[in-house]
Amino acid sequence: MGRAAEILGVTPAFLRSLGAARLIEPQRSEGGHRRYSRYQLRLAARARELVDQGTALEAACRIIILEDQLAEALRINAELRRRD
């Protein structure tokens, strides 16, 4: 977690808060350390951007979830149009 926080320029507490808000749920190593995927780090970076702009953490998490859902819907839509 410390390395991920360092990469993102956030505190470990911020990363834990994203877990508590259920935006990201890292895997655990055998030693119990949190292991973040690149995708989770991108979500955490986006959360940091929104929070830095003054958005409340819970609202930032909801925005990110909606952005992710929209991107997936657009991807599916494009795929379906290619099939026609």
Side-chain angles (χ1 to χ4, degrees):
M1 173 186 282
R3 180 71 178 127
E6 183 181 316
I7 289 168
L8 296 171
V10 299
T11 64
F14 180 78
L15 289 176
R16 283 192 294 276
S17 68
L18 296 179
R22 298 193 183 274
L23 178 64
I24 56 176
E25 294 194 30
Q27 297 292 316
R28 296 281 183 150
S29 69
E30 289 183 20
H33 298 283
R34 290 174 178 89
R35 309 248 346 198
Y36 296 93
S37 68
R38 290 174 193 220
Y39 174 72
Q40 290 171 329
L41 292 176
R42 282 195 307 271
L43 293 179
R46 178 69 176 130
R48 179 182 178 209
E49 288 174 17
L50 291 170
V51 169
D52 286 351
Q53 293 171 4
T55 305
L57 181 67
E58 294 78 20
C61 291
R62 184 66 183 142
I63 288 168
I64 293 165
I65 290 167
L66 291 170
E67 287 174 342
D68 199 47
Q69 290 172 344
L70 176 59
E72 179 65 9
L74 291 172
R75 186 194 63 75
I76 291 169
N77 192 9
E79 183 178 316
L80 291 172
R81 285 183 184 197
R82 281 192 301 272
R83 291 182 187 175
D84 288 341

